[in-house]
Amino acid sequence: METYDALLASITPDAGETRTIIDPATGTPVGEAPVHTVEDLEATVAAAVAAQPAWAALGHEARSAVLLKAADAVERSAEELARLLSREQGKPLNGPNARFEVGACVAWIRAAATTPLEPETVVDDGETYAELHYRPIGVVGAIGPWNWPMMITIWQIAPALRMGNAVVVKPSKMTPLSVLALAKVLNEELPEGLLSVVSGDRAVGARLAEHPAIGKVMFTGSTDAGRSIIKSSAATVKRLTLELGGNDAGIVLPDADPKAIAQDLFWGAFINTGQTCAALKRLYVHDDIYDSVCEELTAVAAAMPMGVGLDENNVLGPLQNRSQYDIVARLVESARESGARILLGGNPDTDQPGHFYPATLVADIDNDNPLVAEEQFGPALPIIRYSTVDEAVEYANGLDVGLGASVWSSDLPAARKVAARIQAGTVWINKHGAVDPRVPFGGAKQSGYGLEFGVEGLKAVGVPQVING
């Protein structure tokens, strides 16, 4: 365990080009991040190729033991990592934010280390005997986002390491310090060269996606960037796991209790100040309870403090970058100009420092309004009326993405019937975005392909091999 200052100093480059990382809440510098080059990437990949065979040879039990020690190391440095994450990404320490994210890193590492994956006997009839095994791929490239930089990096690297692979990580240029610090702590327990971070620009990411020594790429980010990775990876026929953009729908059935669900609706939409791929981004509410849901949700949202993340009182923070702030502001303005009703927010204080946009609820909005049809990725939730369940399902399925969705009801069997009709990789009931390291997670339609978490997530970072005979 190191102090915050020592941890930050340990990832600050001694030489070479750097980039100043700015706190999105205050506009002040957080630290200096290295700007790695394609040449740096080549050296890093070569080191990973050299380190991987010995790691693979250890076997599952020994690798899991090392990973559990790495999880302990993250836990020991949890507060220092959370403070750095809060300053760089903007999310508050409290609520489902920075401390929560670091805790999730520990939980996911331990889950990856302890989930059993046994050879599967697929045929044993006295004449034919066949077993299915999963072998290491080699080197996995992990390209992560800026919204949950530590947690999503762990989603990528923990199962890859467990399965005997080396990993080269390319973090977002917005949040490299968090990932560099996390890797530094993990590497206190991991063999040298096995896990490396290359903090570079788009050219570094493109080279990682096409590199002949990289056997698989795991990517979380926009659908457009995912398409680019598919193209870059095609020449070497890489395996891919892509968790891409979403615009998750929630359907509130007429028998739901507005007061009972309001708190969970709020966090389903506003976790990480709305900057979550699988957040609730468009809410469909039946006419019978529409006004009551709007009223209860507004009361919850109005009580949530927003501000600088290191203030222990806050649970909502700024948008991580100005580009995202501008997207949210544009979409809310388009809704206002269309005649939609602003229940809360929509009035940012442009004189304060930081990229703060207030928690915003928008009612009486058309389903084809840009705030509904486009992924806002921020603290603005449109609430759309519907009259029949068929109409709500049609609205929910009307876009070309399908990461997650939710159904809210007091009648569980009825909710499950509606859930089965929604085109999404995960449909939650009476909650939204509640991922679990034991439960497979992945998208439908243009929200990507491949599964993460649990046994299926381990299989996704291995090469299936059948031994027949």
Side-chain angles (χ1 to χ4, degrees), residues 55 66-67 70 161 183 185-195:
W55 176 248
V66 174
L67 285 174
L161 291 171
V185 172
L186 292 169
N187 279 329
E188 294 171 7
E189 300 293 344
L190 295 173
E192 186 175 354
L194 192 68
L195 171 64

Side-chain angles (χ1 to χ4, degrees), residues 75-108:
E75 196 165 50
R76 286 193 299 271
S77 295
E79 186 64 15
E80 292 71 32
L81 290 168
R83 290 180 68 81
L84 178 57
L85 175 62
S86 180
R87 292 196 64 203
E88 181 180 48
Q89 201 281 334
K91 64 185 65 181
L93 291 171
N94 290 324
N97 292 299
R99 288 177 178 136
F100 169 88
E101 180 167 350
V102 177
C105 290
V106 175
W108 255 266

Side-chain angles (χ1 to χ4, degrees), residues 157-376:
I157 69 177
L161 291 171
R162 157 68 195 281
M163 293 300 290
N165 304 294
V167 185
V168 177
V169 179
K170 160 63 173 69
S172 166
K173 69 177 183 180
M174 305 291 189
T175 52
L177 298 177
S178 299
V179 178
L180 286 160
L182 178 63
K184 192 270 178 188
V185 172
L186 292 169
N187 279 329
E188 294 171 7
E189 300 293 344
L190 295 173
E192 186 175 354
L194 192 68
L195 171 64
S196 300
V197 179
V198 182
S199 173
D201 58 16
R202 189 170 297 179
V204 171
R207 177 57 180 162
L208 184 64
E210 70 181 16
H211 201 292
I214 300 291
K216 172 157 186 155
V217 170
M218 303 182 77
F219 172 74
T220 297
S222 71
T223 299
D224 284 344
R227 292 190 187 102
S228 296
I229 288 171
I230 293 169
K231 293 175 183 176
S232 296
S233 68
T236 51
V237 197
K238 289 193 196 328
R239 289 164 172 79
L240 298 175
T241 294
L242 303 175
E243 196 251 271
L244 307 179
N247 194 344
D248 288 13
I251 297 176
V252 181
L253 299 183
D255 63 8
D257 179 343
K259 191 174 186 66
I261 66 174
Q263 186 95 5
D264 290 332
L265 280 174
F266 174 83
W267 283 119
F270 290 90
I271 185 172
N272 196 28
T273 314
Q275 300 164 106
T276 298
C277 297
L280 173 56
K281 298 189 174 81
R282 45 197 177 112
L283 181 62
Y284 297 99
V285 182
H286 192 272
D287 279 326
D288 290 352
I289 58 171
Y290 185 87
D291 291 336
S292 295
V293 168
C294 287
E295 180 180 343
E296 297 294 344
L297 190 52
T298 300
V300 170
M304 295 294 178
M306 173 182 284
V308 176
L310 295 182
D311 183 333
E312 298 277 356
N313 296 310
N314 293 323
V315 295
L316 297 174
L319 278 302
Q320 200 285 324
N321 55 82
R322 191 70 192 184
S323 295
Q324 198 58 45
Y325 176 100
D326 290 342
I327 290 170
V328 175
R330 171 180 62 81
L331 291 172
V332 172
E333 278 308 301
S334 76
R336 192 197 310 272
E337 291 169 2
S338 74
R341 181 163 53 105
I342 308 295
L343 299 174
L344 182 73
N347 55 343
D349 180 358
T350 55
D351 293 330
Q352 70 172 333
H355 310 313
F356 288 98
Y357 197 93
T360 300
L361 298 171
V362 182
D364 299 334
I365 185 170
D366 292 335
N367 189 54
D368 58 359
N369 189 281
L371 181 59
V372 181
E374 299 178 27
E375 184 183 22
Q376 70 275 46

